[in-house]
């Protein structure tokens, strides 16, 4: 075959020439779209491209999960604008220093003084109340290591391809310990958000689980909570979506792929260490999703 | 303790390698998973195409090949849309989240033959590119 006698670089060069030819044909055949594509800086050949080493990043590289997280960092969402910050820069830094110190200790509950301090300061910072103890319910661990979980089936017919992002995380074969997110009909926006930002807790380890599991299960089902990653200064509001069966000495909590990625839970600085608390939100006003403390703090200055 | 990204890459590789069931797998699936039509990609044929090049060039060739497929597939699919607004709507979806497989669902909803169109486009691209490399 003649091509096999060519130098490798020649073959690659020819392949690139073929791409150029294809592009020329495409833009010629779709000339009515040309100015529109240019206005949007949309290059069809670059769609989906993700090369973090490239200095001139294409518009499409913004589609990568990492870039989306960075973009979210750079946006002040309307949700965040509503949140009030009432603390000084010194206090802001000392909260996270303290949290980082506490998370370097073994997993468990916080001692009373630290707990009260953090509840108050973080609530002020976030603009909504967070507590370690809600309606006499308290987890065995407020601090610990959060492991990554697969996506959960939201309905009996749910498939991995129906989940929007991070399909590589796979789909859990069994349904959540709390049942389906929707029993029948289409998957609602609420169900989609619940699965997207779910936490998995080791409720079986609660002291009164064996005697009171029915009430506990019903109370914890889709209970709103917040996970705080102090190393990256990111909080994620989510719901309790599953009960974790795994080794409690290795991971004290689990979470959806979205929580892990958006919360940068396993960044080199974080190493999975988080604080988790209940969100006291009786009117259901706190939206689910990530909150970036740095941005939040600056937005209020 | 594993990083999630490690697990993703590992799972992805294992799945892809299972599918390939070949000894000389040259595909870097990190590039292939950036497209919404990843489930339709003929991995064995892409691997055959990559074998045609030196191993050192596999990554570069894969990237160029994806660009070629993107152009060919988009071109074919745009022909299906009747109005300019519909074409723009499709391109907006692509620009917003090109790796989202829901784009494929959207296309199949609109044009049931989309899957076939994409498969044929990929096949044609591979053959044409190979021919071009040989004949220049």
């Amino acid at each position: 075959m003649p091509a096999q006698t060519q130098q490798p670089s020649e073959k690659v060069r020819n392949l690139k020439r073929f791409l150029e030819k294809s592009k020329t044909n495409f833009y010629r055949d779709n000339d009515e779209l040309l100015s529109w594509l240019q206005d949007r800086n949309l290059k069809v050949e670059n769609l989906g491209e993700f090369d973090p080493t490239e200095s001139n990043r294409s518009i499409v590289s913004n589609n990568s999960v990492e870039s989306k997280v960075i973009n979210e960092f750079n946006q002040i969402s309307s949700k965040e604008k509503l949140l009030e910050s009432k603390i000084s820069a010194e206090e802001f830094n000392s909260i996270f220093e303290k949290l980082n110190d506490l998370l370097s200790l073994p997993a468990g509950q916080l001692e009373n003084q630290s707990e009260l301090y953090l509840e108050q300061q973080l609530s002020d910072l976030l603009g909504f109340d967070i507590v370690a103890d809600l309606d006499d319910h308290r987890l065995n661990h407020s601090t610990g290591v959060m492991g990554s979980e697969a996506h959960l089936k939201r309905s009996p017919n749910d498939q991995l391809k129906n989940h929007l992002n991070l399909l590589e995380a796979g789909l859990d074969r069994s349904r959540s310990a709390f049942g389906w997110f929707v029993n029948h009909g289409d998957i609602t926006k609420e169900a989609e958000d619940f699965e997207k930002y779910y936490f998995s807790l080791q409720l079986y380890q609660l002291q009164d689980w064996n005697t009171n599991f029915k009430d506990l299960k019903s109370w914890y089902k889709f209970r709103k909570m917040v996970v705080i990653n102090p190393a990256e200064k990111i909080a994620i509001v989510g719901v309790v979506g599953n009960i974790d069966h795994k080794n409690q000495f290795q991971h004290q909590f689990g979470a959806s792929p979205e929580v892990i990625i958006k919360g940068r839970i396993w960044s080199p600085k974080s190493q999975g260490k988080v604080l988790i608390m209940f969100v006291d939100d009786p009117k259901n006003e706190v939206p689910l999703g990530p909150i970036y403390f740095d941005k939040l703090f600056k937005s209020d200055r | 303790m594993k990083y999630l990204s490690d697990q993703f890459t590992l799972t992805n590789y294992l799945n892809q390698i299972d599918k390939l069931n070949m000894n000389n797998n040259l595909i870097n699936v990190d590039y292939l998973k950036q497209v919404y039509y990843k489930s339709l990609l003929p991995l064995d044929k892409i691997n055959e195409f990559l074998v045609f090049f030196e191993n050192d060039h596999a990554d570069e060739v894969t990237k160029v090949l994806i660009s070629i497929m993107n152009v060919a597939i988009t071109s074919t699919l745009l022909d299906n849309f009747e109005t300019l607004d519909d074409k723009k709507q499709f391109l907006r979806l692509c620009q917003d989240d090109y790796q989202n497989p829901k784009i494929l669902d959207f296309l199949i909803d609109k044009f049931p033959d989309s899957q076939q169109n994409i498969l044929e486009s990929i096949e044609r691209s591979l053959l044409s590119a190979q021919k071009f490399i040989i004949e220049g």
Side-chain angles (χ1 to χ4, degrees), chain A residues 1-4 6 8-12 14-19 21-23 26 29-30 32-33 36-37 40-42 44-51 53-54 59-60 62-65 68 145 148-149 154 161-170 192 250-251 257 260-261 266-268 271, chain B residues 1-5 7-9 11-12 15 30-31 33-35 38 49 51-54 57 60-72 74-76 78-79 84 87-89 91-102 105 124-130 132-136:
Chain A
M1 204 176 285
Q4 282 173 342
Q6 290 175 319
S9 56
E10 266 183 324
K11 288 190 213 168
V12 178
N14 274 348
L15 188 67
K16 286 181 178 170
R17 276 180 53 221
F18 181 75
L19 170 62
K21 188 172 160 258
S22 308
K23 274 161 57 180
F26 175 86
D29 295 340
N30 294 283
E32 79 277 29
L33 285 163
W36 184 83
L37 290 168
R40 295 180 67 87
N41 197 15
L42 198 165
V44 174
E45 66 276 14
N46 285 349
L47 284 167
E49 188 174 286
F50 173 53
D51 183 356
T53 59
E54 257 182 20
I59 184 105
V60 189
N62 290 334
N63 289 332
S64 70
V65 174
K68 280 180 180 170
V145 175
S148 60
E149 305 278 331
R154 296 161 296 191
K161 66 176 185 182
N162 299 333
H163 291 252
L164 284 172
N165 289 308
L166 302 168
L167 304 187
E168 299 89 340
E192 209 166 81
Q250 191 180 19
H251 292 156
I260 300 293
I261 294 293
W266 274 98
S267 76
Q271 297 286 305
Chain B
M1 208 169 283
K2 279 200 163 294
Y3 282 69
L4 186 78
S5 55
Q7 291 171 18
F8 284 175
T9 314
T11 315
N12 216 315
N15 290 342
D30 285 343
Y31 298 121
K33 68 185 182 186
Q34 300 297 329
V35 300
K38 49 187 164 274
F49 188 86
V51 171
F52 196 61
F53 296 81
E54 291 294 309
H57 291 85
E60 195 185 358
V61 171
T62 308
K63 282 200 271 187
V64 179
L65 188 59
I66 290 169
S67 292
I68 290 169
M69 291 192 294
N70 283 342
V71 173
T74 312
S75 183
T76 305
L78 279 175
D79 286 344
L84 197 58
K87 290 180 184 193
K88 288 177 182 173
Q89 189 199 357
L91 289 169
R92 263 189 226 107
L93 282 177
C94 290
Q95 191 178 22
D96 289 344
D97 195 358
Y98 196 63
Q99 57 182 292
N100 195 335
K102 287 202 170 179
D105 298 339
R124 268 202 310 271
S125 302
L126 287 169
L127 284 173
S128 307
Q130 209 155 4
F132 192 87
I133 294 162
I134 295 167
E135 294 172 1

Side-chain angles (χ1 to χ4, degrees), chain A residues 282-293:
Chain A
K283 290 183 184 169
N284 196 21
E285 289 172 334
V286 181
L288 306 190
I291 298 169
Y292 303 105
F293 283 105

Side-chain angles (χ1 to χ4, degrees), chain A residues 43 86 96 100 107 115 143 168 223 232 263 266 279 293:
Chain A
K43 291 174 181 164
K86 302 167 187 167
F96 289 98
N100 278 319
E115 191 173 276
T143 62
E168 299 89 340
R223 176 66 52 183
E232 295 288 354
W266 274 98
V279 177
F293 283 105

Side-chain angles (χ1 to χ4, degrees), chain A residues 214-229:
Chain A
K214 270 190 184 171
D215 289 346
L216 285 171
K217 201 168 170 181
S218 133
W219 190 86
Y220 275 97
K221 183 177 181 179
F222 303 142
R223 176 66 52 183
K224 205 174 277 183
M225 298 196 80
V226 62
V227 153
I228 292 160
N229 173 2

Side-chain angles (χ1 to χ4, degrees), chain A residues 225-286:
Chain A
M225 298 196 80
V226 62
V227 153
I228 292 160
N229 173 2
E232 295 288 354
K233 296 194 177 72
I234 300 175
I236 303 265
V237 179
V239 296
V240 183
N242 203 1
I243 302 180
D244 204 344
H245 304 254
K246 295 197 189 79
N247 180 357
Q248 60 166 324
F249 299 109
Q250 191 180 19
H251 292 156
Q252 288 70 44
F253 321 110
S256 67
E258 280 88 350
V259 169
I260 300 293
I261 294 293
K262 290 194 175 185
R264 296 185 178 178
I265 306 291
W266 274 98
S267 76
K269 277 198 287 182
S270 317
Q271 297 286 305
K273 290 172 185 172
V274 295
L275 168 79
I276 190 163
M277 284 197 175
F278 296 111
V279 177
D280 191 6
D281 183 27
K283 290 183 184 169
N284 196 21
E285 289 172 334
V286 181

